[in-house]
């Protein structure tokens, strides 16, 4: 009750043709960063998704999102009297392309960039790129093999290979319907 936050998201969907559509969105989040009830942190976001059914079995999805944070304070003093300097306007964004080339297969790529909040860190941004291959086993099961390369400023890079299984249980409407 002492730390309220308010979140809102608006979406607008439009068919561009029989085979393509676009969805645009806007997000707003505000809240308190400490024990008082003041709204010191505000986050603004925009997103867009473009879908194109190229043929009955092939589809293209392009998606992107951008977030900007606005903070009232640029420094914070902890109980230990250490001062932390913050970027008052950190931001992050991603772009994604997903191409469904067969009824049960798709491949894609995603790029991310995030400005860090703590300006005293030895790096000011993290960025990464991922490539993935997805197999739709059924309308209730999906398998994804993904490679991710991440650069954490000038400190280090990180490479990972992941296998993900997603299973839907219970009553639902499948995304392909």
């Amino acid at each position: 009750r002492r730390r309220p936050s308010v979140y809102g998201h608006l979406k607008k969907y439009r068919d561009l043709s029989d085979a393509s559509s676009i969805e645009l969105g806007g997000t707003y989040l505000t809240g308190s960063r400490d024990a008082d009830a003041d709204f010191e942190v505000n986050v603004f976001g925009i997103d867009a998704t473009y879908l194109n059914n190229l043929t009955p079995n092939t589809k293209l999805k392009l998606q992107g999102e951008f977030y900007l944070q606005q903070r009232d304070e640029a420094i914070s003093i902890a109980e230990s009297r250490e001062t932390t300097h913050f970027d008052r306007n950190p931001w992050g964004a991603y772009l994604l392309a997903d191409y469904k080339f067969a009824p049960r297969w798709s491949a894609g790529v995603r790029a991310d960039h995030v400005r860090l909040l703590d300006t005293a860190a030895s790096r000011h941004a993290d960025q990464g790129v991922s490539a993935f291959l997805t197999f739709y086993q059924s309308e209730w099961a999906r398998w994804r093999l993904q490679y991710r390369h991440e650069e954490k400023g000038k400190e280090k890079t990180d490479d990972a290979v992941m296998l993900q299984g997603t299973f839907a249980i219970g009553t639902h409407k499948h995304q392909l319907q």
Side-chain angles (χ1 to χ4, degrees):
R1 293 181 209 166
R2 293 176 50 188
R3 297 181 201 174
S5 55
V6 177
Y7 171 79
H9 183 78
L10 296 173
K11 286 196 255 188
K12 174 65 177 161
Y13 173 87
R14 181 169 182 171
D15 286 325
L16 300 175
S17 69
D18 289 340
S20 64
S21 64
I22 191 164
E23 182 177 280
L24 302 173
T27 301
Y28 177 70
L29 171 68
T30 186
S32 178
R33 67 164 198 82
D34 51 26
D36 62 23
D38 294 335
F39 294 107
E40 299 117 348
V41 180
N42 296 289
V43 180
F44 307 93
I46 57 172
D47 59 271
T49 303
Y50 171 77
L51 298 170
N52 193 328
N53 296 320
L54 304 169
T55 69
N57 291 326
T58 60
K59 298 175 183 175
L60 175 66
K61 175 170 79 169
L62 302 174
Q63 190 172 24
E65 194 164 7
F66 174 82
Y67 274 93
L68 173 68
Q69 187 181 108
Q70 184 252 330
R71 303 174 63 86
D72 285 349
E73 297 176 342
I75 63 167
S76 174
I77 300 175
E79 292 177 13
S80 63
R81 294 291 180 206
E82 290 184 28
T83 303
T84 303
H85 295 272
F86 295 111
D87 183 348
R88 291 183 69 170
N89 298 104
W91 60 274
Y94 80 88
L95 295 171
L96 174 129
D98 189 2
Y99 177 62
K100 189 169 187 182
F101 57 89
R104 298 174 75 179
W105 290 93
S106 72
V109 64
R110 175 180 165 142
D112 303 276
H113 182 89
V114 177
R115 295 280 301 177
L116 301 180
L117 180 64
D118 186 356
T119 60
S122 60
R123 64 186 202 274
H124 295 288
D126 287 352
Q127 52 193 11
V129 64
S130 301
F132 55 88
L133 179 67
T134 306
F135 173 67
Y136 297 90
Q137 182 177 346
S138 71
E139 66 180 287
W140 298 284
R142 175 184 82 178
W143 296 93
R144 177 171 285 167
L145 179 64
Q146 181 174 344
Y147 167 74
R148 176 160 178 81
H149 174 77
E150 189 175 9
E151 295 178 3
K152 297 182 177 187
K154 295 178 183 176
E155 287 183 4
K156 66 176 185 170
T157 61
D158 187 28
D159 295 293
V161 175
M162 298 166 274
L163 177 63
Q164 175 190 45
T166 304
F167 306 95
I169 300 172
T171 306
H172 69 285
K173 181 178 178 185
H174 190 263
Q175 65 181 357
L176 299 178
Q177 293 178 339

